[in-house]
Amino acid sequence: MGKTRTLIVAGEAFPLAKTGGLGDAITGMARALAEARMPLNVLLPAYRGVRAKLGHVRTVATLSDLPGGPATLLEGKCPQSGLDFLVLENDALYDRAGIYSDEEGREHPDSGVRYAALAHAAVRIAAGLPGLARPNLVHAHDWHAGLVPLLLRAAGLATVKSVMTIHNLAFQGLFPMACADQFGVPEWARNDDGAQAWGQLNFLKAGIRYADRVTTVSHTYAREIMTPAFGCGLDELLRSRAGDLLPIPNGIDDVLWNPAHDPYLRSHRYSVRDLTNKIHCKLALQREFGLRPDPNATVLGMGNRLTEQKMADVAVQSLPLALERHPGLQIAILGQGDHRLEQALRDMTSRYPDRCGIHIGYDEGIAHRLHAGSDVLLHASRFEPFGLTPLYAMRYGTLPIGSRVGGMADTIQDPGSHAPLSAMASANGLLFEGDSPQAMTAAIDRAIDLRAHGILWRLMQRNAMNSDYGWRSAVSLYASLYRSLVEPEYRDAAPAPAVQPALQPANAPAIGRRQRNGGGALPAAI
């Protein structure tokens, strides 16, 4: 089959299209693979404005008979990331406000057609197009690319292998089975043994069912999703594929997220060797969010989707309690999501006008400054496949307070509240159990108490900033996986699955299956 050439298929990739952590993860992984001399292209929809962000654009082919009508396949290079992109241009499908939803947060009603077209385009590329290097491995990401492994099988492309990565199992891409003809789904896959779940066509299930290998983005999440509590209705399928399910943790772009070279910090850059300018970042953040300038205040940042998954409903109850208990606490919130929760947090800022500020929406520069200027980052979640945002915070010496679930349980090192104080010298953040306001508030109390121990807090900051969560380890695992599928001499070099279902408490609440993309144009961390 020759050397591995990969086509990465996804719904977003920074900086061309990003609603949150998925966009960062795709670009970070692709850049690291490219730096490891793994030839690849990234295939995306040509959303509004994407073409203008590419250089040296050329037309590869006009693809007829796609769901949603003919589309033009373009190739170009992204100057900011240095990556080669293929983008599928069909203005009727992709030239609109918002990637997944409109400006009012309403999901685009033709989401199924939009991503079925992307999947069919991927298969056309895999079959070979004039003037374009043919891939022998297709790496599909999340439900947006879930039909790709199924359609590769249907096309008889046995020499093209597929990998399906689950970034968030809760969002599966569910559509009426009556759309199967329109989406080009073969009849033999329209059943419970194929791409059907709960009487509907399920894009993510199709990917899990038909991919040659399945990966997910942290060790704990890989175990969790094989249980009813976290499996979102697909745990039985995932257990049946346990021998092909590999946990390969995500990484972060440690060049882009680096306080020593971050352009968003302007003249206030700093490093683990000299944190002097972090105080100036705090003062700048306080001004940006309308907080009382006070270098001694404990600034708690919160930058994520304002949804129940991210426990924003719990934060609405917990944060006022923490503000009442700690007069020196200030809060800066960046995010958007559930309008009801947005309003509740706005109301809280009105009650604490110089101690609590909120920016509804997502802004890349504000996100960087939030990590730089905060002392702690609150990143609670009822489930968390990986958790990029806490790792960004660590890079900036901002200690995360996270839930003990998914990837955060793997990356945030915390001896626990019952350990002696001296044990925290090895910590890089704090974890708490459950989803009660009391548990969240107790974790905030604990962070404020620890910050009063200046030398210990500085040790924890140093641990956080020195933590290595770049892409190097992940890339070596992906490279081994790719080669084991495509190159015969590497057939025995595949990473071992070594995944067993997680033990779950008897009272663990089941996470219900979610519909469609479930996110819209919201900032999300994986």
Side-chain angles (χ1 to χ4, degrees), residues 74-113:
L74 305 174
E75 183 180 37
K77 183 176 284 290
C78 175
Q80 186 169 340
S81 67
L83 292 172
D84 295 320
F85 279 89
L86 296 167
V87 296
L88 187 67
E89 190 173 68
N90 178 340
D91 287 350
L93 293 182
Y94 306 122
D95 183 19
R96 58 184 71 170
I99 292 177
Y100 305 128
S101 58
D102 65 20
E103 293 163 318
E104 300 300 318
R106 294 183 296 261
E107 184 184 334
H108 295 313
D110 57 350
S111 290
V113 177

Side-chain angles (χ1 to χ4, degrees), residues 95-174:
D95 183 19
R96 58 184 71 170
I99 292 177
Y100 305 128
S101 58
D102 65 20
E103 293 163 318
E104 300 300 318
R106 294 183 296 261
E107 184 184 334
H108 295 313
D110 57 350
S111 290
V113 177
R114 299 171 85 218
Y115 295 104
L118 184 72
H120 280 275
V123 174
R124 298 282 187 91
I125 295 165
L129 291 172
L132 189 66
R134 184 185 175 194
N136 49 16
L137 186 137
V138 182
H139 192 160
H141 291 266
D142 261 357
W143 77 263
H144 317 96
L147 289 185
V148 172
L150 165 59
L151 296 177
L152 287 172
R153 296 281 184 100
L157 296 174
T159 60
V160 181
K161 302 303 179 182
S162 62
V163 175
M164 181 77 223
T165 292
I166 303 166
H167 294 269
N168 194 333
L169 186 67
F171 306 128
Q172 298 178 9
L174 290 170

Side-chain angles (χ1 to χ4, degrees), residues 122 174 186 188 278 285 333 368 407 455 521:
L174 290 170
W188 50 261
K278 190 165 172 62
L285 186 72
I333 301 169
H368 283 245
I455 295 175

Side-chain angles (χ1 to χ4, degrees), residues 333-418:
I333 301 169
L334 170 66
Q336 70 183 60
D338 184 314
H339 295 323
R340 175 181 55 86
L341 296 173
E342 290 175 0
Q343 188 57 51
L345 290 166
R346 281 195 187 98
D347 292 343
M348 181 181 71
T349 64
S350 298
R351 296 198 304 273
Y352 303 92
D354 59 351
R355 296 181 59 203
C356 188
I358 187 168
H359 177 92
I360 298 296
Y362 182 76
D363 180 280
E364 192 75 14
I366 297 176
H368 283 245
R369 293 190 291 276
L370 182 78
H371 291 307
S374 298
D375 296 295
V376 293
L377 174 90
L378 178 62
H379 193 81
S381 193
R382 288 184 165 92
F383 62 96
E384 188 65 58
F386 181 64
L388 285 171
T389 302
L391 303 190
Y392 297 153
M394 287 187 205
R395 287 283 287 169
Y396 288 72
T398 295
L399 300 185
I401 302 172
S403 303
R404 196 183 292 274
V405 294
M408 288 192 290
D410 297 340
T411 56
I412 299 176
Q413 307 302 315
D414 177 9
S417 58
H418 300 296

